[in-house]
């Protein structure tokens, strides 16, 4: 059963400050028993980063001193939460190993949200980008095999398949074709609102991660792959954020952010297998309830609105869950690999006129090749075959090519 966080006090904000030693948590092992513990950590870091950046933007757009002080106070705590969560990541993992975790998050988060999304338009948007992050995982896994000589299945442990999706070279589209129609805040299902907020935060942190860590790579092909996929993550952020209703007030948005954090920490708590990490989720759940009470107070004070007008009577009873989604991803791949976009709509490749912006954009950026293709070719040359982890049989669209020796 879901619960109504407005009926709980949680931990009040003025009791949430922690010391450096409390925040500097012992990291997870590089290969945790459950890879989904790692994906939960990555997701919740993205959620905290979004709450921080949202608060900064809000503060830059208000001249109300009381509001600014309240935002500064809760933002400082969100920043501490981000540290306690992200410092669980093990330092011995390379950027590329963490990247494989990021794309595993993208696949199994997006697929789970799509499977549980009641609004067909939002589900369509999730299915659309799902196939692209699925393909990113495959490209990075080939880079990992090529430059570190290791298999990505060490990290994903066969929970997420690694095989081509919609090929990365085909993700590059004119920017005007990455904007969808938004839901209406008055009628949207509260679950749908949280789904969109969650995927925006997750894609945004992937975009930020590649923007900053891409050039830490040495090999030109690795630098190129991060650059190319990093651009696609901007497309994904633009795609998903355009689904949000832009007419919500800043204070309503603050309340929605806190409510989503409550729901997600509760979800992590319900599904976590590592007892130590579970304790952190529980602590942060109680923090978020306290933060939500403060957001509710601000809404009452400055907009004269009750939080109950904006929030459902209780949070969804089903926790957001990291679990395998293999058959679902295969079905979406087989049905929609050739889907493209045309302004706010989708269009299949064979319906697209030859002079469409898509083809013009492709002709410029892919003019001298795509790193997504080159990394797989280079790995085929180096190892005799490309890297895949197809646990449930051959790829329904792209069967493994014959290698030179077998032809
Ligand atoms: Fe938070
Ligand atoms: Fe991706
Ligand atoms: Fe993405
Ligand atoms: Fe929060």
């Amino acid at each position: 059963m879901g619960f109504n966080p407005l009926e709980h006090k949680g931990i009040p904000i003025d009791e949430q400050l922690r010391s450096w030693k409390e925040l500097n948590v012992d990291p997870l092992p590089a290969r945790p028993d459950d890879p989904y513990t790692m994906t939960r950590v990555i997701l919740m870091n993205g959620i905290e980063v979004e709450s921080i950046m949202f608060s900064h933007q809000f503060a830059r757009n208000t001249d109300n001193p009381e509001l600014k002080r309240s935002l500064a106070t809760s933002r400082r705590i969100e920043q501490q939460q981000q540290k306690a969560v992200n410092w669980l990541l093990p330092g011995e993992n390379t950027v590329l190993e963490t990247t494989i975790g990021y794309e595993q998050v993208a696949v199994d988060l997006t697929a789970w949200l799509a499977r549980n999304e009641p609004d067909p338009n939002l589900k369509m948007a999730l299915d659309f980008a799902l196939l692209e992050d699925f393909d990113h995982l495959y490209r990075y896994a080939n880079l990992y095999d090529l430059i570190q000589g290791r298999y990505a299945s060490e990290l994903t442990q066969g929970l997420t398949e690694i095989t081509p999706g919609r090929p990365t070279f085909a993700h590059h589209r004119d920017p005007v074709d990455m904007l969808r129609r938004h839901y209406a805040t008055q009628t949207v299902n509260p679950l749908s609102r949280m789904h969109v907020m969650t995927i925006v935060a997750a894609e945004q942190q992937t975009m930020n991660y590649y923007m900053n860590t891409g050039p830490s790579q040495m090999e030109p092909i690795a630098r190129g792959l991060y650059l190319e996929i990093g651009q696609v993550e901007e497309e994904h952020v633009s795609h998903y954020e355009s689904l949000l209703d832009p007419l919500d007030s800043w204070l309503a948005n603050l309340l929605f952010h806190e409510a989503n954090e409550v729901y997600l920490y509760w979800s992590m708590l319900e599904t976590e297998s590592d007892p130590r990490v579970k304790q952190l989720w529980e602590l942060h759940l109680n923090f978020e309830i306290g933060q939500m009470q403060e957001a509710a107070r601000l809404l009452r004070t400055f907009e004269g609105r009750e939080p109950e007008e904006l929030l459902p009577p209780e949070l969804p009873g089903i926790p957001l869950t990291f679990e395998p989604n293999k058959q679902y991803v295969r079905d979406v791949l087989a049905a929609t690999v050739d889907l493209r976009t045309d302004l706010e709509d989708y269009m299949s490749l064979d319906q697209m006129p030859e002079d469409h912006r898509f083809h013009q954009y492709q002709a410029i950026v892919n003019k001298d090749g795509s790193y997504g293709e080159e990394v797989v070719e280079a790995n085929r040359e180096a190892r005799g075959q490309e890297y895949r982890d197809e646990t449930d049989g051959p790829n329904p669209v792209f069967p493994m090519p014959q290698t030179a020796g077998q032809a």
Side-chain angles (χ1 to χ4, degrees), residues 103 106 132-134 136-137 140 203 206 210 229 232-233 236:
E103 296 291 353
E132 305 195 340
D133 289 314
F134 187 58
H136 296 166
L137 178 61
Y140 283 124
E203 294 290 331
T206 307
Y210 301 162
I229 294 180
V232 178
E233 301 304 349
H236 289 175

Side-chain angles (χ1 to χ4, degrees), residues 15 20 46 68 90 98 110 142 168 205 217 238 275 288 349-350 366 372:
E15 294 170 24
W20 308 127
K68 272 186 189 290
T98 303
T110 311
N142 274 276
T168 291
Q205 82 155 343
Q217 303 293 321
S238 297
E288 297 298 350
L349 185 59
D350 54 10
N366 293 337

Side-chain angles (χ1 to χ4, degrees), residues 211-232:
M211 285 165 82
N212 288 304
T213 62
S216 71
Q217 303 293 321
M218 301 256 288
E219 293 76 4
I221 197 164
R223 297 172 69 86
L225 188 65
Y226 273 89
L227 181 153
E228 185 177 350
I229 294 180
Q231 284 284 110
V232 178

